Amino acid sequence: MTGTDSLMPPGTPSVLGAAPDVTEDAREYLAAGGYRGALGAAELLDRLDGLRGRGGAGYPAAAKLRAVRDAGPRPVVVANGEEGEPGSVKDRWLLRARPHLVLDGLARAAEITGAERGYVYLSDTTAGERVRRALAERTPRLPCEVVDTPHTYVAGEETAVVRRINGGPALPTAKPPRPYQQGVGGAPTLVANVETLARIALVAAHPERRHRTVRSTLVTLSGRGAEPLLVEVPYGCTLRTLARAQGTPEPAGALMGGLFGGLIGPGRLDLVLDPDTLAAAGTALGCGAIRFLAPDECPVSLASAALAHLTAESARQCGICVAGTGAVRDAVGALTDGTADTGLLTRLERWSASLPGRGACGLLDAAAGTAGSLLRAFPDLVRAHLGTPCPDCAAPADAGRLTVPVPHVARRTVPRPRSAPASR
């Protein structure tokens, strides 16, 4: 991976920090104004209006904080750093490179909600080492425990997070209750994405620049034939601009939001990066992972790889999910080898409309959405696959083509002299 970059205006507080290639230590974070700020909990909460959660669903962060605060005594806060989406690396990068920024945001979320204990939930070994080191560098205001989990697609779903911290498997549970009502140890629980918490800390440190902090986001950009890129961008940037920055200047489309935003065609690349704009266009920002299609790449093949991954990652708790994801995978697989007929397309259209919302988590929704978006975005190309094998689809579906490596973040081994300038 080429690393990290920023498309933010100069002078804007950035979650990438001053040295994205090196883990920030406590001294550097404090020198840059971290763990401090003039805002009280109530005032900070007011300043967070407009901040969307960065975990995928995009739920308003302030509303979630208020719900936990008002749900009952002794709440719990959790930094959720478990990225199930294969095309996303932002959360693991934040925990590796800027653990103090995340811990600061977690402590501020605790102040807002009245929580007395916190957890950092993750599966990445390197991220866990960096977070534990950060906790040892500076005694946190909030008692905090790091909880490791096996890496799976569904392990970061909020009820799976709670279940794992409570000592069970990292598998989703039926809702209600939701974690804000009854979570870790039965207490009201905030499960917040680590980038969301990082932005809370930035707003606290730089309240005068809250608008830019709230209206910017990390995105993981990838595509065949060019190196992936983790970049911070302001809302309003076009998808075409992002494709050029990543190295796919003339993409044939994109797979949006990890595996939740579905496929879009080349005619949608002038859409701007904004949650509401993308939702109105029938797609989603999700976790901020965007996979661009190369000009000669077949979207049917990419959809087949995505569906193979989702089927393999099913928690296998819901019969409808096991049967539904498998059926959708097989149907798109028939398109790749030229054995599908128009009847199969009719069934695929029906499944894409009827399956969402029927599983305990969003995995089935992602599978149905991927198939439905393929039919909508590339109808002529899909029909061209009926009864005709596609050369680009000849290889077996490879979920590995969706996976993005985390940019290397070194641990500083030689301390900077005390007279060194602040890192930001």
Side-chain angles (χ1 to χ4, degrees):
M1 188 164 191
T2 56
T4 58
D5 200 357
S6 178
L7 298 181
M8 299 295 294
T12 302
S14 170
V15 296
L16 294 176
D21 57 335
V22 179
T23 296
E24 183 178 51
D25 63 24
R27 183 180 62 80
E28 292 166 325
Y29 186 64
L30 284 164
Y35 292 119
R36 293 194 295 274
L39 299 182
E43 187 178 2
L44 175 57
L45 181 59
D46 289 340
R47 297 292 183 98
L48 297 178
D49 280 330
L51 176 64
R52 301 279 192 97
R54 296 299 197 271
Y59 193 78
K64 200 170 183 180
L65 287 160
R66 290 187 180 100
V68 173
R69 181 196 63 187
D70 298 341
R74 305 176 69 84
V76 175
V77 289
V78 179
N80 184 5
E82 170 48 22
E83 286 178 296
E85 293 285 359
S88 180
V89 298
K90 66 183 182 69
D91 297 335
R92 284 166 289 169
W93 181 88
L94 276 169
L95 292 170
R96 291 182 182 192
R98 305 206 68 193
H100 286 285
L101 182 67
V102 176
L103 292 171
D104 192 357
L106 186 65
R108 295 182 190 277
E111 292 170 0
I112 290 170
T113 59
E116 299 177 354
R117 57 191 169 119
Y119 296 86
V120 180
Y121 176 85
L122 48 77
S123 65
D124 182 64
T125 301
T126 302
E129 292 171 353
R130 304 284 168 88
V131 172
R132 289 182 174 93
R133 186 177 298 115
L135 289 169
E137 285 178 342
R138 181 181 186 275
T139 303
R141 300 193 302 269
L142 175 75
C144 192
E145 178 182 342
V146 179
V147 176
D148 297 283
T149 186
H151 174 71
T152 66
Y153 188 81
V154 300
E157 195 271 343
E158 63 174 4
T159 63
V161 173
V162 168
R163 192 174 180 183
R164 174 67 177 175
I165 294 174
N166 281 336
L171 295 173
T173 59
K175 299 172 279 290
R178 292 189 174 274
Y180 82 88
Q181 299 166 313
Q182 183 178 326
V184 176
T189 300
L190 175 78
V191 180
N193 173 261
V194 298
E195 186 190 349
T196 309
L197 295 170
R199 293 195 179 277
I200 289 173
L202 277 184
V203 171
H206 303 280
E208 75 285 359
R209 301 173 186 171
R210 62 161 294 280
H211 181 75
R212 285 184 174 178
T213 300
V214 165
R215 293 192 57 78
S216 59
T217 194
L218 289 176
V219 289
T220 311
L221 308 175
S222 61
R224 190 171 75 179
E227 291 294 322
L229 179 67
L230 175 65
V231 62
E232 187 171 17
V233 300
Y235 289 165
C237 186
T238 68
L239 297 178
R240 194 178 303 278
T241 298
L242 297 181
R244 290 170 180 161
Q246 183 268 327
T248 310
E250 298 297 333
L255 181 62
M256 297 290 298
L259 303 181
F260 269 89
L263 287 155
I264 60 169
R268 292 320 219 17
L269 293 170
D270 289 318
L271 284 170
V272 298
L273 198 75
D274 175 272
D276 292 332
T277 300
L278 294 175
T283 184
L285 177 60
C287 64
I290 303 174
R291 206 277 193 190
F292 293 107
L293 282 154
D296 60 345
E297 189 173 10
C298 182
V300 177
S301 175
L302 185 61
S304 181
L307 289 164
H309 178 77
L310 289 167
T311 302
E313 288 290 315
S314 170
R316 309 193 72 80
Q317 293 188 130
C318 308
I320 186 63
C321 179
V322 174
T325 54
V328 173
R329 175 204 59 195
D330 293 345
V332 174
L335 286 170
T336 65
D337 60 25
T339 60
D341 55 30
T342 55
L344 187 145
L345 286 187
T346 300
R347 293 194 296 277
L348 199 55
E349 290 175 351
R350 184 174 69 249
W351 293 333
S352 68
S354 63
L355 290 177
R358 299 181 64 184
C361 68
L363 187 142
L364 182 58
D365 295 27
T370 298
S373 67
L374 174 67
L375 299 177
R376 292 190 299 273
F378 302 97
D380 295 337
L381 187 60
V382 169
R383 290 194 170 275
H385 282 67
L386 297 178
T388 304
C390 170
D392 194 56
C393 295
D398 177 15
R401 67 197 284 193
L402 303 169
T403 303
V404 174
V406 183
H408 178 69
V409 183
R411 187 177 67 128
R412 198 185 304 280
T413 55
V414 180
R416 288 182 177 177
R418 298 239 174 228
S419 59
S423 62
R424 199 170 25 185

